[in-house]
Amino acid sequence: MNAFDLGLIFIITGLVFFGVVRLLAQTAPKMRPVPEGDLLHSPAGNGEEAVLVVEAGGRVRSLNERARQVFQLREDEIPDLERLVRHARPVDALMMLCAGEGRARFVLNGRFVEGVSYALTFQQDKLVLVSLRFPELTGLTEGGEQGLSSQTLQTFTELTRAMAASLDLEQTLTAVLEGVEKIVPADYLEVGVWDSELRRFVFFQLNWVSSSERRLEQDPVGGAPGEGYTGFLYQERVPLLITDISRRMDVRPAEGRMPGIRSFMGLPLMADGEFVGTLELGSRVIGAFREEDLGLIRLLAEQAALAIRNALVFQEEKKRSTELSRLSQLTQAFGSMRDPKSLFSRLVENVARLIKVHIAGFLLYQEAQRVLEAQIPFYGLPDQITELYRVNVGINSPLENALLEQDVLLTEDASTDPLWENLGLAFVAQAASLHETVLVPLQSGGRMLGYLQVSNRLEGGSFTQSELNLLMIVSNQVASIIENALLVQQSRQRAQRAEALRQIVSLTSSAANLDEILQFSVQELARLLRAEVGAVFLMDQARTTLSLHRSSFVGPAVDLPERVTRLQVDDAQFPFTITESQEVLRVGLITDEVPIIPFYRHLLSQWNVHSVLAVPLVVRSLGVGELWFGN
């Protein structure tokens, strides 16, 4: 190939390349700069849409007249994105639209909004164009012929799906309130759930806990079925629309609810003829609600009532299942326990958690002593008070009649109730600050064992019927457990007593001296009787003096002079001693009124004894001394 041919090839190649480039340039879309004013001062919009243009970094470059109206800006006011997003709920929804491309639905100044954003590049600047549309939801008015638009049907479908998505009560109520606020803006929006057991309303609202988060909260102040607008909805079971509450005097808002409202709209929530609660909206503006709004909310209320009713049923069934599970665990856990103290400790803890009370315990009836006494531990009460929780059951007394009738004893305030005073229980109720209290009888095989007591609900208020029923189930189950434990304990005690008596008898027939016999006997008897103090008084051989046998004394060491531990026979007090009278002395609580001679009273005071048991030692009808045990 010569130089001429090579040059010709280069020329042809260059012409072909030039032609291809020219052709591509003619077919490519023509780029032209967009006038700055078109984008900055007149962003796209159809007059009904609010449009704003945001720079990277958050500065608002432009917004149309509709957006100024929506965000309540003056014509000459410079928009600030941080201020604009405060109008939206949640705040993050509008903020994310302004940060990049996307779609979102949220509430803006009480109105349901559908937003869409687009990312643009303008003169090397990265911008975001946000368009906000306010769909009009229309429904049927009473007696009207207006139909539902496709947008309305789509919105209702989404709302009903959200309400039925969960059986959790809080999630259901949240979905109901969020759904209503998307349809009708209001200053106050709440659902009143009817508690048929307590015969009162429990109100729920959605409250903002931060700029981007809100939470379902229960109003601590409930409502009675006859109060205000809620009472009207409960009694009449018809919707209530008041455009100006100052012109409607036959029914008035309840004091303290929805302060400052000028108009009101409410509906009873009915599910298959069952009253579930109320849906109530309030506004500070006169005429804020229309018949069209009532028609829309009426359609949504039907689905809301069903969703709430299902959630309440599920909640109740879940509660019952939990209670039955705990009752089953209660029986399994204690069926093999035999030690009463461990048994009562576990029982009262589980009962307190099951019923949700501050105080729970058992009062057992000691038939031989005719005493009703609390068992340690008593959940929520210190042992010092529990030890004093001991009531004598007099013959034909109100307490004995209550035990015989085996009735449930219920009071709203045990510290002031006359019934508790008549029963002799008021002193403990006042000392322990008992309020709402229930005594449920413990009976096994027709035998009355005592009471299961629960007091001071964690949530306050009266005990519900379901709680009383649950307490009856618990008492029926634990009564047999307690009876078995007590029988085992009594059997062990009888065996221990028999063994102790055998050892004492064996010791008396051995070569042991009197001091050894008395020391061992007092120690064993004190252990069996669980006495803190044990002592023996003996007559001397001349029968002139009754004196304390010091070597056999059981209890705290107290240095007493000899003269206070001896009583002469010729003393005026001697005829009233246990040795001389040969009578048993049993005192549950020593007071000034108890007839005890000064000789004994002084010794018991030195030993710090408050309850005693004393028996005579008799040989051939002659008193030779006496045994004392005390606590």
Side-chain angles (χ1 to χ4, degrees), residues 87 89 107-113 180-186:
H87 293 260
R89 292 293 184 270
V107 176
L108 185 63
N109 288 335
R111 296 192 61 186
F112 181 55
V113 175
V180 172
E181 71 180 5
K182 291 178 180 179
I183 298 176
V184 179

Side-chain angles (χ1 to χ4, degrees), residues 159-228:
L159 296 181
T160 54
R161 186 185 300 117
M163 289 187 296
S166 173
L167 286 175
D168 180 77
L169 181 60
E170 290 192 1
Q171 294 182 14
T172 301
L173 292 173
T174 300
V176 170
L177 292 170
E178 288 178 343
V180 172
E181 71 180 5
K182 291 178 180 179
I183 298 176
V184 179
D187 295 311
Y188 296 97
L189 175 59
E190 62 185 23
V191 172
V193 178
W194 174 244
D195 190 329
S196 58
E197 193 167 24
L198 296 178
R199 308 257 337 144
R200 61 191 292 270
F201 286 95
V202 182
F203 295 102
F204 295 88
Q205 305 95 15
L206 278 177
N207 296 325
W208 291 96
V209 296
S210 67
S211 59
S212 59
E213 181 187 0
R214 60 181 174 176
R215 180 185 307 146
L216 182 73
E217 294 183 349
Q218 177 181 332
D219 193 331
V221 181
E227 295 180 352

Side-chain angles (χ1 to χ4, degrees), residues 504 507-508 516-526 629:
I504 293 173
L507 186 63
T508 58
E516 293 174 342
I517 294 173
L518 289 178
Q519 185 177 8
F520 176 80
S521 300
V522 172
Q523 288 178 349
E524 283 296 306
L525 292 175
F629 298 97

Side-chain angles (χ1 to χ4, degrees), residues 3-65:
F4 176 78
D5 294 336
L6 184 60
L8 184 60
I9 290 174
F10 278 121
I11 292 172
I12 295 173
T13 303
L15 291 173
V16 171
F17 179 76
F18 177 76
V20 171
V21 172
R22 184 181 180 85
L23 179 61
L24 290 175
Q26 290 177 350
T27 58
K30 295 180 174 54
M31 305 294 291
R32 64 181 183 88
V34 180
E36 184 176 351
D38 290 347
L39 184 61
L40 299 183
H41 299 101
S42 302
N46 60 7
E48 295 297 328
E49 297 182 6
V51 182
L52 58 155
V53 180
V54 183
E55 286 183 353
R59 189 172 75 90
V60 179
R61 287 276 293 270
S62 174
L63 70 168
N64 66 356
E65 185 62 30

Side-chain angles (χ1 to χ4, degrees), residues 344-483:
F344 290 133
S345 177
R346 296 283 300 277
L347 279 175
V348 295
E349 289 179 4
N350 282 272
V351 169
R353 285 199 297 265
L354 184 63
I355 309 298
K356 297 180 180 179
V357 291
H358 288 288
I359 297 174
F362 293 93
L363 304 174
L364 296 188
Y365 178 48
Q366 309 295 342
E367 190 173 359
Q369 294 82 24
R370 298 189 64 83
V371 169
L372 183 69
E373 61 180 358
Q375 303 300 303
I376 296 176
F378 207 96
Y379 184 87
L381 291 184
D383 291 348
Q384 295 86 341
I385 294 182
T386 306
E387 290 175 351
L388 298 176
Y389 202 166
R390 179 184 175 94
V391 184
N392 292 322
V393 182
I395 299 176
N396 295 327
S397 65
L399 184 55
E400 184 185 45
N401 294 332
L403 287 168
L404 294 175
E405 293 173 0
Q406 300 183 2
D407 288 337
V408 175
L409 304 178
L410 176 65
T411 179
E412 298 294 331
D413 190 352
S415 60
T416 60
D417 194 330
L419 173 61
W420 250 242
E421 183 72 33
N422 294 335
L423 295 174
L425 304 174
F427 74 100
V428 176
Q430 294 168 1
S433 298
L434 302 183
H435 302 299
E436 55 276 1
T437 300
V438 181
L439 296 182
V440 182
L442 296 168
Q443 49 182 329
S444 178
R447 179 190 172 199
M448 183 64 172
L449 303 178
Y451 291 105
L452 165 61
Q453 174 181 331
V454 293
S455 302
N456 299 8
R457 296 178 74 243
L458 293 179
E459 300 177 356
S462 305
F463 285 96
T464 65
Q465 187 60 47
S466 62
E467 288 173 332
L468 296 177
N469 293 338
L470 183 59
L471 281 171
M472 291 297 297
I473 296 174
V474 171
S475 67
N476 290 334
Q477 289 196 351
V478 302
S480 59
I481 298 174
I482 292 174
E483 184 179 36

Side-chain angles (χ1 to χ4, degrees), residues 506-582:
S506 176
L507 186 63
T508 58
S509 60
S510 68
N513 58 36
L514 180 62
D515 290 346
E516 293 174 342
I517 294 173
L518 289 178
Q519 185 177 8
F520 176 80
S521 300
V522 172
Q523 288 178 349
E524 283 296 306
L525 292 175
R527 182 178 62 83
L528 287 175
L529 297 175
R530 298 180 182 179
E532 298 173 353
V533 173
V536 176
F537 289 86
L538 294 177
M539 292 288 295
D540 60 2
Q541 292 184 351
R543 295 191 61 82
T544 59
T545 306
L546 179 68
S547 59
L548 174 67
H549 189 266
R550 290 179 179 269
S551 62
S552 63
F553 177 76
V554 174
V558 180
D559 187 14
L560 296 175
E562 188 72 20
R563 58 184 176 80
V564 300
T565 61
R566 300 166 62 91
L567 184 66
Q568 299 296 326
V569 173
D570 57 2
D571 192 296
Q573 302 179 65
F574 183 76
F576 303 98
T577 61
I578 305 299
T579 302
E580 182 65 15
S581 65
Q582 297 187 13

Side-chain angles (χ1 to χ4, degrees), residues 317-331:
E317 291 299 323
K318 186 177 180 181
K319 178 182 176 183
R320 296 296 184 199
S321 176
T322 302
E323 291 174 352
L324 291 174
S325 175
R326 289 179 178 175
L327 287 173
S328 176
Q329 295 173 3
L330 193 70
T331 304

